[in-house]
Amino acid sequence: MADLIEIKVPDVGGVASIDVVEVLIKPGDTVALEQIIATLETDKASMDLPASAGGIIQQVHIKPGDKVGEGSLVATVLVNGADTAQVAATLKPEESTQSPTTPAPTIQEQPAPVKTPEPAKAAIASPTSTPVIDHSASVTAHASPSIRLFARELGVDITKITAGNGRKGRILKQDVQSHVKRIISEGLPQGGAGIPSIPTVDFSQFGEIETQKLSKIKRLTGQNLSRVWLNLPMVTYHEEADITEMEAFRVALNAEKTKDEVKITGLMFIIKALVAAMKQFPSFNASLSSDGENLVLKKYVNIGIAVDTPNGLVVPVLRNVDSKSVNQLAIELAEKSDKARQGKLMPNEMQGGCLTISSLGGIGGTAFTPIVNAPEVAILGVTRAKMQPVWNGKEFIPRLMLPLDLTYDHRVIDGAEGARFMTHIKQNLSDIRRLLL
Ligand code: CAO
């Protein structure tokens, strides 16, 4: 027995336009009744969308970035014998009258007429706490709305609970309770609690003013940056790399390119040098567990690149950069930064980063103190290279010097390790042949 069932967006309180943030299913997946299949978001709320039928996903009709409304088709599910009984619970009585002996159709067979169960109520968790710069699963807490609500009532930031005891790490009530107990017993700061707020000032008393709404990206980035600032003990270490030879090589490479080909900027070599240093110092390719007890070491190397866009800062992630050439990285970054500036970057293209580079080199600067994109443990800042007189033991010679700034989480990286890491990057940039070693 088999039947095709449509899963639709339920009534979410009259909201007309809902953003699809994450789609957790693909054709061929088997889903259980009530399994979360997508995350939706409005201006005020984040929602887990449960499957209103269990079975095999035939087609997924939404993708991240789509806008949906009540009744929008989310997916079509092929429900087999056992699962039909599950659907029956959510179907109107007249919709659940199938013969239990009907064999499941193959893909080639004519599909059974599509039935639409009552859409399950979307699970609402409001307001969302998911930041735009979301590079780790730990930020996207897996918890049901009731648990999110429970956490909020206790003033707990649920993203601090990285792994729950539920199925697939889902956060349970007892996980929230244990987290609170730990905070109380250890006296750990929750972030921001008790900090006096900036006073509200009526600026119009001093002259003409205009109020502009911050973009969504700026608001969410601001929340994330404040959270990091309050939670991480950060140190910034400054260094300079002699890139005179690297720059000559880069200019020569670009001279060989046609005008349609993507040019190589120094950033590509910086990515390469950073990755080499991360391989040498694995604690830089890691995240601290929320209880501060363990370091999670990553065997993959994905690098986030901060991109300046008209709507604010976004961080697309270049994946598996250790297996990509300088040319491939240049092409990929050009594509991703174009997409970012057009606001077309998908949420999954901004996730999974291991370390971030914030390069202001195209603009200027001599040094700055970037903020770590936690739960990453460090961020590399880059400002503008300039010719400087460098003493070679006998005389001053003109060399192109690149300023680098490394901010790291001092709970994970100590000062000496930070200095060694930067020395490694500096040596590799000063003589890029070392990157072959
Ligand atoms: N020193 C000297 N020149 C530099 C340089 C540096 N460190 N970095 C870049 N340049 C030059 C490039 O070579 C390029 O020169 P040409 O126009 O002659 O080719 C020019 O500056 C512009 O480079 P770019 O910025 O377009 O390219 P990029 O690969 O260096 O950077 C990107 C790409 C996406 C990182 C950048 O465009 C960007 O958005 N930067 C801003 C990031 C930001 O806002 N960070 C702050 C975050 S807050 O922590």
Side-chain angles (χ1 to χ4, degrees):
M1 183 181 72
D3 212 347
L4 271 182
I5 302 288
E6 287 182 340
I7 298 179
K8 293 186 173 180
V9 176
D11 173 15
V12 290
V15 182
S17 175
I18 308 162
D19 291 331
V20 177
V21 175
E22 199 176 6
V23 178
L24 304 166
I25 46 164
K26 57 182 186 318
D29 282 356
T30 301
V31 292
L33 180 69
E34 298 290 321
Q35 180 180 326
I36 304 303
I37 56 172
T39 307
L40 310 178
E41 194 177 274
T42 68
D43 276 354
K44 298 199 181 79
S46 143
M47 290 154 257
D48 287 342
L49 182 68
S52 50
I56 298 167
I57 299 292
Q58 296 299 287
Q59 229 182 322
V60 180
H61 300 272
I62 56 167
K63 59 182 182 319
D66 281 357
K67 291 214 178 292
V68 293
E70 182 188 343
S72 297
L73 186 56
V74 174
T76 341
V77 186
L78 184 66
V79 180
N80 63 27
D83 289 332
T84 306
Q86 289 190 306
V87 178
T90 59
L91 286 172
K92 292 174 192 143
E94 68 271 21
E95 291 172 317
S96 57
T97 53
Q98 295 163 57
S99 158
T101 54
T102 311
T106 63
I107 299 298
Q108 288 76 25
E109 280 179 313
Q110 186 66 29
V114 172
K115 296 192 173 187
T116 308
E118 282 289 304
K121 285 276 174 235
I124 299 182
S126 163
T128 177
S129 61
T130 307
V132 162
I133 304 176
D134 179 359
H135 290 272
S136 109
S138 66
V139 173
T140 320
H142 289 289
S144 72
S146 59
I147 298 302
R148 286 171 191 271
L149 181 67
F150 177 59
R152 267 201 315 283
E153 281 169 351
L154 296 179
V156 169
D157 177 356
I158 203 159
T159 61
K160 295 270 160 43
I161 308 173
T162 44
N165 283 306
R167 215 173 135 256
K168 294 189 177 167
R170 211 163 180 78
I171 296 164
L172 307 175
K173 192 172 180 182
Q174 75 205 49
D175 296 316
V176 179
Q177 287 165 331
S178 315
H179 183 75
V180 171
K181 278 185 197 153
R182 196 178 54 78
I183 286 170
I184 292 169
S185 65
E186 295 178 14
L188 292 178
Q190 255 269 72
I195 293 176
S197 57
I198 311 280
T200 308
V201 175
D202 175 13
F203 300 106
S204 65
Q205 62 182 306
F206 307 117
E208 196 188 341
I209 58 164
E210 181 197 331
T211 305
Q212 280 181 355
K213 190 135 188 75
L214 282 185
S215 69
K216 194 170 173 184
I217 290 181
K218 276 222 159 124
R219 277 184 284 129
L220 293 176
T221 303
Q223 280 170 19
N224 192 37
L225 291 173
S226 306
R227 182 167 45 201
V228 175
W229 184 265
L230 289 167
N231 282 289
L232 266 61
M234 289 185 277
V235 174
T236 305
Y237 179 87
H238 306 285
E239 183 56 280
E240 273 183 332
D242 182 339
I243 58 162
T244 317
E245 264 89 44
M246 184 195 100
E247 179 64 7
F249 181 52
R250 184 185 80 84
V251 170
L253 283 178
N254 282 342
E256 290 167 11
K257 290 186 180 289
T258 63
K259 71 174 179 7
D260 297 329
E261 283 179 297
V262 176
K263 297 278 187 295
I264 293 166
T265 61
L267 187 55
M268 306 314 133
F269 294 105
I270 296 170
I271 295 173
K272 283 278 173 195
L274 178 66
V275 170
M278 286 163 75
K279 297 228 156 171
Q280 189 74 21
F281 300 89
S283 52
F284 279 85
N285 193 7
S287 286
L288 196 61
S289 63
S290 62
D291 60 6
E293 301 271 327
N294 298 300
L295 203 56
V296 180
L297 296 159
K298 297 158 196 171
K299 307 290 179 192
Y300 53 89
V301 193
N302 299 337
I303 300 292
I305 306 288
V307 175
D308 176 36
T309 81
N311 285 325
L313 177 69
V314 290
V315 186
V317 172
L318 307 179
R319 290 179 193 279
N320 304 314
V321 281
D322 48 337
S323 62
K324 288 177 181 161
S325 70
V326 161
N327 274 324
Q328 283 172 319
L329 291 173
I331 292 167
E332 199 176 327
L333 180 60
E335 281 169 7
K336 290 254 160 83
S337 48
D338 266 3
K339 261 176 110 174
R341 286 179 179 128
Q342 290 167 33
K344 291 186 176 159
L345 223 47
M346 292 294 142
N348 66 351
E349 292 176 285
M350 295 182 274
Q351 291 171 349
C354 304
L355 226 75
T356 298
I357 297 179
S358 177
S359 173
L360 296 172
I363 305 167
T366 53
F368 73 121
T369 53
I371 297 176
V372 172
N373 190 10
E376 296 169 17
V377 294
I379 182 167
L380 183 68
V382 183
T383 50
R384 196 161 189 81
K386 69 168 185 243
M387 276 295 182
Q388 286 182 34
V390 175
W391 184 249
N392 70 357
K394 288 193 213 123
E395 57 186 341
F396 282 105
I397 48 166
R399 305 295 291 176
L400 186 62
M401 304 302 289
L402 176 73
L404 299 166
D405 316 287
L406 179 78
T407 302
Y408 52 84
D409 182 343
H410 212 345
R411 296 172 304 171
V412 179
I413 312 290
D414 61 33
E417 202 179 6
R420 284 190 201 103
F421 184 76
M422 280 292 253
T423 302
H424 196 279
I425 292 177
K426 169 187 164 146
Q427 284 173 340
N428 276 334
L429 287 175
S430 300
D431 185 350
I432 55 171
R433 292 174 305 180
R434 287 172 175 273
L435 291 169
L436 298 170
L437 300 177

